[in-house]
Structures are given as structure tokens and as C-alpha cells.
């Protein structure tokens, strides 16, 4: 099955992906990236690889690919 | 079947604010260019405003146009490079308030170009001043009591004007909000590029977009505001379909 992975360096912590994900598969991590933004983390056990996060993300954080 | 989605290589990190709608449009344009095999054959004419972030945000050749003049600059590129894929990327302030003459003239001539206009109801980059697309009653830095349309005119609808007055190839308005709207918008962008590659003439896609920073809203609240208060006035859809 496909899963989402996140490039935390591109993330600005806007939280849109968390709001649109129906599977509670995303959470804000405490990691601050090199540009100073909080960044997102995928919870792979909940992810079904639907790509909603990829679609709504304004910053190209997500890749959806087979595990 | 496994779903595969990867951000195209020509879509770099861009310096937009967190949650800004510009970033989604940038990615959709890159996806369409890649899917149409145009990633090495494209020249962009970018406006002044937050559109300027495309300078680092996209790996295609581009011209930073004087404010509002992208319609004229893109016309020049088209005449000099007839085989290139050419698009403009402008804000509402750039394409309308400041560049309406160039925008309408390019549409009037039915230049074989794609024009993408980010309508976020204000001059974003300069701090959220009122623009022609600011909604009635909307508070901005230069309409602190809310926009008074008796004094300043009503929010302008340029895609409708172009679709109904001239003979363009394709005109549509989409929105950067829900996944469904984003997917629909991608279809509009693809149609615009296909019209150009097929030598059908001028296309405009206006994109209703959020400016969380200047609207003073969280990114999700800005999406909800756009769907509830902006979309009812600025109807979404295709105003001129290809081949009509
Ligand atoms: C000739 C000129 N006038 C004014 C400005 C100041 N200015 C820079 S960006 C901008 C507005 C951009 O607004 P818009 O096109 O809506 O883009 P946004 O930032 O909202 O995406 C203005 C007025 C300028 N740079 N040059
Ligand atoms: S000022 Fe507004 S339009 Fe410009 S990058 Fe920030 S949120 Fe986007
Ligand atoms: Mg604007």
C-alpha cells in the first residue's frame, strides 16, 4: 500500500494537511526545521496513502509512494 | 493500485507565507507542464507582488515584468519564440488595478498565451491594501472601516468581462481550498495549456486564493472564509470553454 512521507525541511507548519486528512494520520511535531518552522509528521499506521495531504499542501512537503 | 504522487522537479521551495494559496497554484502549474512535456520548453512572465517568489520557486526561464505589464511582455515573448509554452503569473493588483490595459489588450488580440491571476482580494505583498477585487465591507489597510462600494466601485470580474466581450480560447475561475476544488482547478489549468499548445489562442484562469497573513486569519479559517464569503460573489467554473 502507498503511504505519505513528509519532507520536514519544506514544511511551514500551516496545518492545512492535518485539517483535511480524514484518517488522523498527521500531527505537528516539535521539530523546528532549518528555516525556523514547526513541521508535520506522518503517522504511518493511520495513513492510507490517499494523497489528500499532497493535494492541499501549499509547500510540496508530501510524497505518496508504495512502502 | 498504489497511488504515486511526487512534486515535480521544476517546483522548488517558494518563500510564500505559511498556508498561502499561491503555493498550491505553483505546484499545479508545474504538474501540468510536466504532464504535457513542457518543463524544458516554457517561459514565464511574472508580475510584481507575491508572484515574485516564482523567481526561486520554479525552474523555468522567466522574465520579471514591470508592474502590470506581463500581458505585453508575454506577447513579445510569444512573437519572438513561437514554439515556446508561454504563461503569465500575476496577482489581482498586478493584472487588474495596475495592468488592466495590458491584460485586456492581450485578451482582445487573442494572443496565444496562458494568463494565471491569483485573486486574493488585496495587494498582498505590500501589506494588504484594498484592490479592485476587495470584497464589499472587507477591512484592509486602506479601507479600515470596510470597503465602501459606493465610493470605490464594486469588486471587478475580469474573467467574465473577457469571456463575454472578446473571443478568447478558454476562460475559467477556480479556487485553492478543498481537495475537490484544487483538483477541479488543475483541470482548468491543463485546459489552458492545451489550448495554447493547440494554437487556439488566449486563456485566462483566475484563481481565488487565500492571503492568511493580510486577512489576519489562520490558514484553515481563510479557506472557510473564501468558500463562504468570496465564492458566492466570484462564481467558480468555465466561462468560455474550448471550441465553443
Ligand atoms: C509601479 C509600482 N507601483 C507600486 C508598487 C508596489 N507594489 C508592489 S507589489 C504590489 C501589489 C501586488 O498585489 P497583487 O498583484 O494583488 O499580488 P499579491 O501580492 O496579492 O499576490 C504593489 C502595489 C511597485 N512595486 N511598482
Ligand atoms: S502576503 Fe499573502 S499572498 Fe503574499 S505570500 Fe503572504 S499570504 Fe501569500
Ligand atoms: Mg493580490
Amino acid at each position: 500500500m502507498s503511504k505519505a512521507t513528509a519532507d520536514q525541511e519544506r514544511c511551514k507548519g500551516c496545518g492545512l494537511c492535518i485539517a483535511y486528512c480524514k484518517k488522523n494520520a498527521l500531527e505537528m511535531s516539535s521539530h523546528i526545521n532549518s528555516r525556523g518552522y514547526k513541521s508535520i509528521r506522518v503517522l504511518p499506521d493511520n495513513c492510507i496513502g490517499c494523497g489528500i495531504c499532497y493535494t492541499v499542501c501549499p509547500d510540496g512537503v508530501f510524497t505518496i509512494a508504495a512502502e | 493500485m498504489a497511488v504515486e504522487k511526487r512534486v515535480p522537479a521544476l517546483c522548488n521551495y517558494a518563500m510564500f507565507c505559511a498556508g498561502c494559496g499561491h503555493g498550491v497554484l505553483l505546484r499545479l502549474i508545474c504538474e501540468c507542464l510536466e504532464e504535457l512535456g513542457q518543463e524544458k520548453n516554457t517561459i514565464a512572465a511574472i508580475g510584481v507582488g507575491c508572484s515574485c517568489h516564482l523567481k526561486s520557486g520554479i525552474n523555468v526561464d522567466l522574465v520579471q515584468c514591470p508592474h502590470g505589464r506581463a500581458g505585453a511582455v508575454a506577447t513579445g515573448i510569444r512573437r519572438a519564440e513561437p514554439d515556446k509554452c508561454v504563461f503569465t503569473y500575476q496577482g489581482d493588483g498586478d493584472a487588474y488595478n495596475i495592468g488592466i490595459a495590458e491584460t485586456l489588450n492581450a485578451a482582445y488580440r487573442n494572443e496565444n498565451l496562458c494568463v494565471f491571476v491569483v485573486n486574493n482580494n488585496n495587494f498582498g505583498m505590500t501589506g494588504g491594501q484594498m484592490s479592485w477585487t476587495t470584497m464589499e465591507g472587507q477591512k484592509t489597510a486602506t479601507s479600515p472601516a470596510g470597503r465602501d462600494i459606493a465610493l470605490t466601485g464594486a469588486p471587478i470580474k475580469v474573467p467574465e468581462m473577457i469571456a463575454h466581450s472578446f473571443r478568447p480560447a478558454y476562460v475559467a475561475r477556480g479556487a485553492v481550498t478543498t481537495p475537490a476544488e484544487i483538483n477541479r482547478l488543475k483541470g482548468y489549468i491543463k485546459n489552458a495549456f492545451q489550448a495554447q499548445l493547440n494554437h487556439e489562442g488566449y486563456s485566462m484562469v483566475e484563481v481565488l486564493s487565500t492571503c492568511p497573513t493580510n486577512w489576519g486569519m489562520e490558514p484553515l479559517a481563510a479557506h472557510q472564509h473564501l468558500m463562504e464569503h468570496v465564492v458566492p460573489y466570484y462564481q467558480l467554473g468555465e466561462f468560455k470553454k474550448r471550441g465553443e
Side-chain angles (χ1 to χ4, degrees):
Chain A
M1 190 163 87
S2 296
K3 299 275 182 194
T5 52
D7 175 355
Q8 291 190 311
E9 280 301 305
R10 283 183 84 130
C11 185
K12 296 172 184 159
C14 73
L16 285 171
C17 55
I18 300 178
Y20 285 101
C21 176
K22 302 280 185 226
K23 293 289 175 183
N24 296 320
L26 300 162
E27 66 176 17
M28 199 62 74
S29 75
S30 53
H31 172 72
I32 307 284
N33 66 22
S34 68
R35 295 186 175 92
Y37 290 107
K38 273 194 184 174
S39 55
I40 208 76
R41 181 166 60 208
V42 181
L43 305 173
D45 290 348
N46 292 356
C47 177
I48 58 163
C50 67
I52 293 276
C53 55
Y54 173 96
T55 301
V56 299
C57 177
D59 292 294
V61 167
F62 296 98
T63 300
I64 315 294
E67 281 180 288
Chain B
M1 197 182 75
V3 182
E4 290 273 341
K5 284 175 185 276
R6 286 173 203 285
V7 176
L10 72 161
C11 186
N12 295 333
Y13 180 86
M15 305 276 283
F16 304 119
C17 302
C20 171
H22 267 285
V24 174
L25 174 60
L26 170 60
R27 191 195 72 235
L28 295 178
I29 289 173
C30 291
E31 287 175 5
C32 290
L33 290 175
E34 189 180 67
E35 288 164 23
L36 295 166
Q38 297 300 312
E39 64 269 52
K40 293 199 164 46
N41 188 48
T42 297
I43 306 178
I46 63 173
V48 169
C50 293
S51 311
C52 294
H53 293 309
L54 262 66
K55 271 179 279 190
S56 56
I58 187 168
N59 279 329
V60 299
D61 287 337
L62 55 81
V63 179
Q64 170 65 73
C65 306
H67 213 348
R69 265 75 265 191
V73 173
T75 298
I77 298 170
R78 161 58 61 235
R79 304 270 166 106
E81 295 277 6
D83 299 324
K84 293 285 183 187
C85 178
V86 182
F87 72 90
T88 81
Y89 185 107
Q90 305 166 261
D92 52 295
D94 185 88
Y96 303 161
N97 290 67
I98 295 158
I100 194 69
E102 285 75 5
T103 299
L104 292 185
N105 273 295
Y108 170 72
R109 293 188 305 263
N110 198 25
E111 292 292 341
N112 194 35
L113 306 168
C114 299
V115 170
F116 301 114
V117 181
V118 175
N119 175 355
N120 57 14
N121 308 134
N122 70 27
F123 290 141
M125 176 163 271
T126 41
Q129 292 82 6
M130 192 185 86
S131 74
W132 279 355
T133 63
T134 295
M135 303 301 292
E136 181 176 8
Q138 185 182 333
K139 290 183 178 159
T140 69
T142 49
S143 59
R147 181 176 189 180
D148 176 358
I149 63 167
L151 190 68
T152 65
I156 195 166
K157 298 183 178 181
V158 176
E160 286 88 334
M161 193 190 295
I162 287 174
H164 301 142
S165 310
F166 308 142
R167 304 180 67 198
Y170 183 75
V171 181
R173 180 184 290 116
V176 174
T177 51
T178 59
E181 290 303 345
I182 292 171
N183 289 334
R184 226 169 268 140
L185 171 61
K186 182 172 174 184
Y188 299 159
I189 296 168
K190 195 80 161 273
N191 274 331
F193 279 125
Q194 280 171 327
Q196 178 185 156
L197 296 176
N198 210 24
H199 305 282
E200 292 164 25
Y202 182 95
S203 299
M204 174 183 274
V205 180
E206 185 185 275
V207 180
L208 300 182
S209 180
T210 59
C211 178
T213 300
N214 291 302
W215 293 4
M217 291 178 193
E218 291 295 324
L220 183 64
H223 277 198
Q224 286 158 351
H225 170 87
L226 197 156
M227 293 306 276
E228 281 166 30
H229 300 289
V230 183
V231 168
Y233 182 86
Y234 278 116
Q235 271 97 27
L236 304 177
E238 296 173 300
F239 304 111
K240 170 71 170 66
K241 292 188 180 162
R242 292 173 64 201
E244 254 180 10

